[in-house]
Amino acid sequence: LLTLCQLPVSLFPAAADPVTMVPGSLESGTWCNEHMLHERLDIIEEKVIKTVEHLESEVKSLLNIISETTVNIPTVPGTPLTDVFDGQY
């Protein structure tokens, strides 16, 4: 699959459409570089979003396991309850 950036500049002659051929456009490759950069950033953004969603799912799962485990711990009458989420060790 050929992208626009891979096509030779000769396919886009300046005489055919002088308005679109501005300095710094296809001739210097700036547009291609920016286009490729945006594509790569889109891919990275998608991977970050998927990773965050996966981590959120894992954290929820772990919190559910902790919650279920602490509910099922038998306590001796008179023993103070310990909050596992209070940050004290």
Side-chain angles (χ1 to χ4, degrees):
L1 182 65
L2 219 95
T3 66
L4 186 59
C5 292
Q6 295 169 327
L7 293 175
V9 176
S10 62
L11 292 178
F12 303 98
D17 190 4
V19 176
T20 59
M21 295 302 289
V22 293
S25 65
L26 287 175
E27 290 177 335
S28 66
T30 303
W31 180 86
C32 285
N33 291 338
E34 288 180 21
H35 179 71
M36 290 170 51
L37 176 65
H38 285 289
E39 283 182 354
R40 293 187 74 175
L41 287 174
D42 289 344
I43 292 169
I44 292 169
E45 180 183 19
E46 184 179 330
K47 287 182 179 183
V48 167
I49 289 170
K50 285 181 180 180
T51 301
V52 169
E53 289 172 351
H54 175 75
L55 290 173
E56 285 177 341
S57 173
E58 290 293 318
V59 167
K60 286 179 185 178
S61 176
L62 289 171
L63 288 174
N64 285 336
I65 291 170
I66 290 171
S67 179
E68 291 170 4
T69 303
T70 57
V71 168
N72 296 328
I73 295 176
T75 57
V76 177
T79 305
L81 295 176
T82 304
D83 184 359
V84 295
F85 297 110
D86 69 359
Q88 296 177 358
Y89 302 96

